[in-house]
C-alpha cells in the first residue's frame, strides 16, 4: 500500500481485549515505530484517562505515551469548552475520566432537585452500572427542561474477555426519541474527532490510514473523511455486521499483526 505516511489506530479490539495485548500487536507496533511512521491511538474508551490508557498499554509492552493517545473524553472536553463554556455538565459514565475533562464544570446527579441550578448539558460516556433507570430518567427530565445532550460515542457494544457487553448506543436512541432531542457525538465517528487526530499528527487525510474493529464508527467513518480504512477481524468484528455495513472497507485484515506487511514495512 503506497502513499501512507501516518496511521490512526483504535485500541480496544485492535491492540487489546480487556486490556490484554492481542497476539502479534506489540511486535507490529514496534515495526511501525521502527519505520518512523507517525501514529496516534484514537479510542472511544471512556473508562480510563489518557494517562491511565498509556500506563496500561505500557504494562502490556506497547511503547506509547500520553501524547500518543486521543480519547473521546479529551475530545468531549474540547467541544464543551468551545461550544458550552461555563456550562454545568452532568456526566453519566462508567469510569473515572475527570482528569481529561479539564475546564469543564461537572455537577453531581440530583443537581437541581433541591432548588439549585440544574445541569445545562447532559454528557453520556461509556455504559456500565452507572446507566441505571434512575440515572437515565434524571437525564431525561433534564433534557425535557432544555438541557443539551452530548455523547462521547454511539457504540452499541464492545468485546470483553467474557464476551460482548452493551454500550451507550444501546440506550441513547431511546432517550433521544423520548426527549425529542439529538445528541452531539464528539468521539468516533464524528468528523471533528478525525480532524483533531489529523491535526495532531500534522498529516493529510489522503496519506493517513485508520485501523479499527468497528466497521461503521472506525473504518467507514474514517473513509468518509478521506482516510484509508482498514478493518481487522478481532475485537467486536462479526461477519454479519460486515455484510450488513453501509459501505466497504478499503482493506480487511485478520488482525493488527498483519498491518506492517500490508504497508510493506521491513521485518523484525
Amino acid at each position: 500500500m503506497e502513499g501512507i505516511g501516518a496511521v490512526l489506530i483504535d485500541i480496544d479490539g485492535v491492540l487489546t481485549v480487556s486490556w490484554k495485548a492481542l497476539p502479534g500487536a506489540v511486535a507490529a507496533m514496534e515495526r511501525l515505530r521502527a519505520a518512523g511512521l507517525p501514529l496516534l491511538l484514537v479510542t472511544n474508551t471512556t473508562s480510563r484517562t489518557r494517562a491511565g490508557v498509556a500506563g496500561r498499554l505500557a504494562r502490556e509492552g506497547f511503547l506509547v505515551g500520553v501524547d500518543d493517545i486521543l480519547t473521546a473524553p479529551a475530545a468531549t472536553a474540547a467541544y464543551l469548552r468551545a461550544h458550552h463554556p461555563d456550562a454545568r455538565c452532568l456526566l453519566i459514565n462508567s469510569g473515572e475520566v475527570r482528569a481529561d475533562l479539564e475546564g469543564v464544570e461537572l455537577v453531581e446527579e440530583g443537581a437541581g432537585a433541591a432548588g439549585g441550578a440544574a445541569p445545562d448539558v447532559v454528557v453520556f460516556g461509556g455504559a456500565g452500572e452507572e446507566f441505571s433507570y434512575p440515572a437515565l430518567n434524571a437525564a431525561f427530565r433534564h433534557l425535557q427542561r432544555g438541557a443539551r445532550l452530548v455523547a462521547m460515542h454511539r457504540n452499541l457494544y464492545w468485546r470483553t474477555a467474557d464476551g460482548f457487553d452493551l454500550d451507550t448506543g444501546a440506550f441513547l436512541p431511546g432517550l433521544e426519541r423520548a426527549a425529542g432531542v439529538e445528541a452531539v457525538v464528539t468521539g468516533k465517528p464524528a468528523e471533528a474527532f478525525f480532524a483533531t487526530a489529523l491535526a495532531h499528527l500534522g498529516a493529510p487525510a489522503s496519506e493517513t490510514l485508520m485501523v479499527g474493529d468497528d466497521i461503521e464508527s472506525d473504518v467507514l467513518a474514517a473513509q468518509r473523511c478521506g482516510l484509508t480504512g482498514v478493518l481487522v477481524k478481532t475485537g467486536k468484528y462479526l461477519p454479519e455486521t460486515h455484510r450488513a455495513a453501509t459501505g466497504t472497507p478499503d482493506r480487511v485484515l485478520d488482525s493488527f499483526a498483519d498491518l506492517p506487511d500490508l504497508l510493506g514495512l521491513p521485518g523484525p
Side-chain angles (χ1 to χ4, degrees):
M1 183 178 291
E2 298 180 354
I4 296 298
V7 182
L8 303 181
I9 308 166
D10 184 34
I11 298 175
D12 190 24
V14 176
L15 300 179
T16 66
V17 167
S18 292
W19 297 105
K20 294 297 182 180
L22 285 167
V26 171
M29 177 78 77
E30 290 176 350
R31 288 177 66 184
L32 293 178
R33 292 287 198 194
L37 273 178
L39 56 87
L40 183 67
L41 309 189
V42 289
T43 175
N44 278 348
T45 296
T46 57
S47 61
R48 298 172 186 260
T49 62
R50 292 167 65 227
V53 170
R56 190 66 187 83
L57 291 176
R59 288 195 291 276
E60 289 297 308
F62 293 100
L63 300 177
V64 298
V66 172
D67 290 338
D68 297 318
I69 298 168
L70 174 63
T71 65
T76 300
Y79 173 84
L80 291 171
R81 289 193 299 265
H83 296 275
H84 299 286
D86 303 320
R88 293 165 54 84
C89 299
L90 174 64
L91 174 65
I92 303 176
N93 179 58
S94 182
E96 181 51 69
V97 293
R98 292 171 185 258
D100 280 350
L101 295 173
E102 185 178 357
V104 177
E105 181 183 355
L106 298 176
V107 299
E108 297 300 322
E109 189 172 325
D120 304 303
V121 182
V122 174
V123 181
F124 271 22
E129 294 180 359
E130 292 79 2
F131 275 58
S132 63
Y133 176 82
L136 292 173
N137 198 49
F140 169 60
R141 291 179 175 176
H142 290 311
L143 296 173
Q144 284 185 305
R145 299 185 188 107
R148 302 295 183 89
L149 179 59
V150 172
M152 296 185 187
H153 60 74
R154 285 187 176 275
N155 293 356
L156 291 169
Y157 52 85
W158 79 97
R159 183 183 287 279
T160 71
D162 298 321
F164 291 116
D165 283 355
L166 288 175
D167 211 340
T168 305
F171 304 95
L172 190 59
L175 184 62
E176 289 176 309
R177 183 174 179 183
V181 302
E182 183 175 351
V184 172
V185 178
T186 51
K188 295 175 294 182
E191 182 177 346
F193 185 88
F194 288 104
T196 298
L198 291 172
H200 182 92
L201 287 176
S206 60
E207 298 175 8
T208 303
L209 181 148
M210 171 70 206
V211 189
D213 64 325
D214 187 316
I215 189 169
E216 297 289 348
S217 293
D218 292 340
V219 180
L220 299 183
Q223 290 178 194
R224 287 193 293 271
C225 295
L227 289 80
T228 298
V230 174
L231 177 67
V232 292
K233 295 182 177 181
T234 51
K236 67 172 63 174
Y237 174 87
L238 292 171
E240 55 267 36
T241 305
H242 188 175
R243 289 192 296 267
T246 59
T248 303
D250 291 315
R251 296 287 191 278
V252 180
L253 299 176
D254 286 335
S255 74
F256 179 74
D258 299 321
L259 182 65
D261 288 340
L262 176 67
L263 296 175
L265 302 183

